[in-house]
Amino acid sequence: MKQSPPAEIDISDMTWPPPPYRSPVPPVTGADGVRRFDGITYATTPGYRPRLLDVQVPAGEGPFPAVVWIHGGGWLDGDRRYPPPTVPAELLHGAVLAAGLALVSIDYRHSLEAPFPAQLHDVKAAIRYVRAFAGDLGIDPDRIGVWGESAGGHLAALAGLVGPDGPQGAALEGAEGVGSGASGVRAVVDWYGVADLVTLAEHPVPAMPGTEFPDPYEALLGATVAERPDLARAASPVTYADGSNPPPFLLVHGTHDGLVPYSQSEALAAALKSAGGEVTLQPVEGADHIFLGSSAIPAIVEGGVAFLARHLGAGA
């Protein structure tokens, strides 16, 4: 049987090393009119997995303000596609889109892939990417906020407070992906995130029977807090709370959180208020981490959406 000659491969668009990011491909539009861009490569670094983001844009005329969602997981785990198990994705995503906000869900390097500040570099790179391709995505580049939970809440707070002109600004901005451009945001929602790693070192991580989970704070820093107090301070949002013009913050935290104490959000709220910032601290009475034990999760989600819609001018 005669074999066909092998097909020619077009290598005209191939480059080496690989490009630092990929342009968006055309979206898929659902029956609901929502446009979805799935699996966009917003940053690449040799030796690491590509960092991806998904974008969902509401039906209708844009450009729309956007919310960058940052997942939790102790900086060791987690996935852009999944909120914590107490918060159904349909609830979170649906509420954001229904408010006229685009949703950008991002991955970032976990701490055993690369220690801090790699995670913040990736968040900043994602924000720069969304701005650079705002026209293709149907997003208003001047109306971007961040929303994160647990480790993602910590990164959202840093994204809101760390700027190129602040302490260690250039080192914390990084040059991943779209290597230059503004990475600031107009509003921050931080669900039960770490605010001060130095004081948190006094609160031991609860034991997890049957697992060999690394200490998340030591993994994040690549050392203990005692060994690297300088890096612990650099990774703590309270370090930057007295900067000029912090964006408005909504901090939501369970009062019985056994993993990240409620006092962490109290400390960040006090630091922001002392600096003249606009901050709302919302306790969730009796709730543990990821709001376990609370029946008010739909209301908590709606409160976060309303806060972001107000400060990002959704519907304007």
Side-chain angles (χ1 to χ4, degrees), residues 27-314:
V28 174
T29 303
D32 55 2
V34 173
R35 285 168 288 152
R36 292 174 170 83
F37 302 80
D38 291 329
I40 299 173
T41 299
Y42 74 84
T44 63
T45 308
Y48 298 98
R49 61 190 167 100
R51 269 81 78 208
L52 306 181
L53 60 80
D54 299 334
V55 182
Q56 299 180 63
V57 183
E61 295 294 326
F64 295 94
V67 177
V68 176
W69 168 261
I70 311 172
H71 70 77
W75 309 282
L76 287 157
D77 197 8
D79 186 311
R80 71 186 186 279
R81 297 168 295 178
Y82 307 116
T86 50
V87 182
E90 296 80 5
L91 171 65
L92 180 69
H93 296 183
V96 170
L97 293 165
L101 299 164
L103 179 65
V104 181
S105 305
I106 71 169
D107 282 332
Y108 52 88
R109 282 171 289 178
H110 293 157
S111 56
L112 294 185
E113 294 179 87
F116 184 84
Q119 297 72 32
L120 180 57
H121 288 173
D122 290 348
V123 171
K124 292 283 191 174
I127 295 168
R128 290 194 297 266
Y129 184 95
V130 171
R131 281 211 167 91
F133 290 98
D136 300 287
L137 299 171
I139 285 173
D140 185 338
D142 296 322
R143 294 189 290 165
I144 298 175
V146 286
W147 186 351
E149 62 96 13
S150 196
H154 161 261
L155 294 172
L158 285 174
L161 294 172
V162 170
D165 299 326
Q168 304 182 57
L172 293 174
E173 285 285 316
E176 302 289 331
V178 177
S180 62
S183 65
V185 297
R186 284 182 50 170
V188 177
V189 177
D190 172 359
W191 280 357
Y192 45 85
V194 169
D196 187 344
L197 276 96
V198 176
T199 61
L200 196 61
E202 303 169 4
H203 179 82
V205 177
M208 300 180 184
T211 67
E212 295 183 4
F213 207 71
D215 181 292
Y217 311 120
E218 185 172 340
L220 178 69
L221 301 177
T224 66
V225 170
E227 291 168 336
R228 290 296 309 274
D230 56 332
L231 188 58
R233 286 190 292 272
S236 298
V238 293
T239 300
Y240 314 98
D242 61 354
S244 59
N245 297 319
F249 269 71
L250 172 62
L251 307 174
V252 190
H253 209 133
T255 58
H256 289 183
D257 193 324
L259 187 59
V260 178
Y262 178 71
S263 58
Q264 287 283 302
S265 285
E266 287 183 310
L268 182 55
L272 288 165
K273 286 180 181 178
S274 178
E278 178 184 341
V279 56
T280 300
L281 174 58
Q282 178 183 335
V284 183
E285 295 296 336
D288 201 340
H289 205 62
I290 67 170
F291 304 134
L292 278 170
S294 175
S295 61
I297 288 174
I300 293 169
V301 170
E302 288 296 339
V305 170
F307 174 87
L308 289 163
R310 181 168 70 254
H311 287 289
L312 299 179

